Amino acid sequence: MGVREREFVASLESLPDIRSFVLEEDGAEGRLPPRRAAHMDVAIEEIVVNICSYAYEIPPGRLTVRVEESPDAFSVEFLDNGVAFDPLSVDDPDVSLPLDGRDAGGLGILLIRRMMDEVHYSRKGDLNSLRIVMTAGGR
Amino acid sequence: MFEMKFAAEGGGLVAELSGRLDARSAPDFERDALAAADGLEGERGMLLDLSGLEYISSAGLRSILLLARRLSGSSGRVVLCGMAGVVKEVFDISGFDSFLPVASGRDEGLSLLSGRGA
């Protein structure tokens, strides 16, 4: 329980380390039910991939991950100092289109929205902050 | 860790996926699956058996979409079976199960591929 924070290189190579930092470090795996841990697993990848792909004009930059656990909530904040971008400003893709009309754009943020109980974006100085929250009574 | 094994069964090519299909493994999956799709001769498409798959993200979905497009260009198709747990949730949320046929198991999947099933 409590708060832990670490800085990573914003690159796909860091994904396994970020994953284990959030999901396994400090006994976290014992506190998340397997289904919720799987949801968090998906959300972590989608956010990290997004930051690694778009946030930096000259990749790779840095990415700070801050985990805050309480009896009521499991919260993870991702901070990058890349270009300002609010992923929540993007419309959800139309998931009813047939094969010919589909592309995979926007599916990542849709998965995050549907699997997390809360998603918050804010601009903090020169940082993008995306905070995802799973609550104890959540989905 | 991601693995894909191929088996030719009853008029269709079956690809058994296992492990994690994520942004790191998707490029290899995409290359191998597209190569297999291009190499199809008598078969009408590919059945993806996902019963061993533990995890998929939007990167994996993107690769499956590309595979389905490649096959539909040659009047073939992709059929899915074996989704469970978070893999099934990801397919449900993305709506991919609305344009890719989902079979209850391998037998039904193969009959969908060969055009015998509904």
Side-chain angles (χ1 to χ4, degrees), chain A residues 96-103, chain B residues 65 68-70 72-73 99:
Chain A
S96 66
L97 290 173
L99 174 61
D100 288 343
R102 290 302 294 267
D103 67 55
Chain B
L65 182 65
R69 284 244 169 81
R70 178 74 64 96
S72 73
F99 63 83

Side-chain angles (χ1 to χ4, degrees), chain A residues 28-51:
Chain A
E29 55 199 325
R31 293 189 291 274
L32 280 178
R35 180 166 169 275
R36 301 307 330 259
H39 291 166
M40 183 57 80
D41 202 350
V42 172
I44 293 167
E45 176 180 332
E46 300 299 348
I47 292 169
V48 170
V49 166
N50 209 40
I51 291 172

Side-chain angles (χ1 to χ4, degrees), chain A residues 10-11 16 19 21 27 35-37 40 53 65 73 75 80 82-83 86 88 101 106 109 138:
Chain A
S11 128
R19 214 183 140 246
F21 174 67
R35 180 166 169 275
R36 301 307 330 259
M40 183 57 80
S53 313
V65 181
S75 158
D80 69 78
V83 294
D86 176 5
L88 303 178
I109 190 67

Side-chain angles (χ1 to χ4, degrees), chain B residues 6-113:
Chain B
F6 290 106
E9 274 180 38
L13 184 66
V14 180
E16 293 172 5
L17 279 55
S18 60
R20 298 174 61 87
L21 185 52
D22 60 13
R24 287 156 54 85
S25 57
D28 284 350
F29 161 73
E30 198 175 299
R31 184 198 59 220
D32 294 348
L34 291 176
D38 291 340
L40 289 180
E41 289 173 356
E43 305 96 338
R44 300 273 295 277
M46 276 169 73
L47 173 62
L48 301 186
D49 182 346
L50 307 182
S51 53
L53 201 64
E54 293 158 18
Y55 174 95
I56 189 168
S57 63
S58 67
L61 291 177
R62 183 188 301 269
S63 298
I64 289 177
L65 182 65
L66 282 175
L67 175 67
R69 284 244 169 81
R70 178 74 64 96
L71 281 167
S72 73
S74 58
S75 71
R77 67 203 305 203
V78 168
V79 175
L80 308 166
C81 74
M83 286 105 82
V86 72
V87 173
K88 185 172 188 321
E89 285 188 65
V90 168
F91 274 94
D92 288 347
I93 292 171
S94 65
F96 270 41
D97 52 355
S98 68
F99 63 83
L100 294 176
V102 180
S104 60
R106 264 164 91 140
D107 289 345
E108 188 189 302
L110 286 164
S111 63
L112 282 175
L113 272 189

